[in-house]
Amino acid sequence: MRRWLPELLALPLLPWLLAQGKRTRRITPRMPEAAGQRSGIAAAPLLANDLAPLALLAIGESTVAGVGVDDQQQAITAQLAKQLATHYQRPVSWHACGKNGATVADAMTALATGSMQLPAQPVQVLLVAFGVNDTTAFHSSQRYRRDLQRLLDHVQQAVQPALVVVTGVPPVHRFSALPQPLRHVLGQKAQVLTRTARELVQQRSNTIFVQVIQGHPDLLAYDGYHPAAVGVRLWAEDLAQAVVASLGQ
């Protein structure tokens, strides 16, 4: 029953929710994907820069594309790389594969058609960050699980990561750009898809789940929808702690 709660909530409110959704799309500022290169190396302390770098790959939706910040250096992949470089005292090479508005299925299509390119070499850490667009599309939990499993299988085979980090859906119920009751209904949907991702991760080896908690309005960009630089930085700290706890020192 819990997985159908968003649909049960939405059904009697559907005309209102549709109207709110259209108005929200019309009035919410459209922020671009962050400028700058989508790959790079996060330097370690000077004496450690002769070590072979760890490799980090992120694949995801607008947060990986850097929507909400000005430059890719402020986006989640580079920020996580900086955290890991500091902890492990060695450089971290990073590569971001993100697209604004992408669902998990969209990313799978982009990989299949070659419009999204993965690194040719294996990576140590793979970050997978989706869910908001699957939430707003009101995709079922069964579909989300199927799409996410296909994507994980594909990327696992392609880059052979030592550790896969799957994030939950960001806290949509805190997005100030969304009016009530739309915010509440989509928040419930996001929580269902988050549980779906967590359950899938529990059945996979070398894979961990990390909940996204950085959704306070003060940490959002001016669109009230995407994380600002400070929110991304705090999120990177959470992710780095989870990576270190899993991979060890």
Side-chain angles (χ1 to χ4, degrees):
M1 175 66 74
R2 268 195 319 180
R3 70 181 183 181
W4 297 112
L5 179 59
E7 284 77 7
L8 294 174
L9 288 173
L11 189 59
L13 300 172
L14 191 56
W16 191 6
L17 297 177
L18 290 174
Q20 285 191 323
K22 289 179 180 179
R23 183 176 186 276
T24 300
R25 284 191 294 271
R26 187 173 68 253
I27 68 173
T28 300
R30 294 182 181 273
M31 300 187 71
E33 297 181 355
Q37 296 295 318
R38 298 201 177 193
S39 61
I41 295 181
L46 186 60
L47 295 178
N49 279 315
D50 58 344
L51 297 175
L54 297 173
L56 165 67
L57 167 66
I59 181 169
E61 52 190 357
S62 57
T63 48
V64 176
V67 179
V69 298
D70 295 329
D71 188 86
Q72 290 293 334
Q73 290 293 332
Q74 298 173 299
I76 189 59
T77 315
Q79 287 295 307
L80 176 56
K82 291 175 183 177
Q83 292 285 334
L84 295 177
T86 298
H87 178 83
Y88 286 112
Q89 298 289 290
R90 63 188 299 180
V92 175
S93 64
W94 58 271
H95 186 88
C97 291
K99 183 167 179 58
N100 191 16
T103 64
V104 179
D106 292 335
M108 192 66 222
T109 298
L111 290 171
T113 60
S115 60
M116 182 180 288
Q117 296 283 342
L118 297 177
Q121 301 299 322
V123 303
Q124 277 73 49
V125 180
L126 167 65
L127 172 65
V128 178
F130 287 95
V132 171
N133 297 300
D134 287 272
T135 294
T136 57
F138 237 68
H139 287 167
S140 69
S141 57
Q142 296 97 321
R143 173 174 177 171
Y144 189 63
R145 180 189 177 94
R146 181 187 70 239
D147 291 346
L148 189 56
Q149 182 164 318
R150 286 183 60 216
L151 181 75
L152 291 173
D153 289 344
H154 179 89
V155 183
Q156 173 81 40
Q157 184 176 12
V159 299
Q160 304 170 29
L163 178 68
V164 180
V165 182
V166 177
T167 71
V169 183
V172 176
H173 65 284
R174 295 180 178 175
F175 288 4
S176 56
L178 300 175
Q180 298 289 12
L182 180 63
R183 188 193 309 179
H184 177 71
V185 173
L186 289 179
Q188 290 292 319
K189 187 65 176 179
Q191 290 176 23
V192 168
L193 297 189
T194 289
R195 287 195 295 269
T196 299
R198 187 193 299 270
E199 291 166 1
L200 175 60
V201 164
Q202 290 171 348
Q203 299 176 8
R204 300 182 65 92
S205 60
N206 72 300
T207 307
I208 63 172
F209 174 88
V210 179
Q211 179 60 59
V212 182
I213 60 175
Q214 307 301 337
H216 190 278
D218 291 345
L219 303 179
L220 295 176
Y222 66 78
D223 66 351
Y225 200 85
H226 294 94
V230 62
V232 174
R233 187 170 65 251
L234 292 172
W235 184 24
E237 291 174 2
D238 291 343
L239 291 169
Q241 289 175 7
V243 169
V244 170
S246 296
L247 289 182
Q249 301 298 319

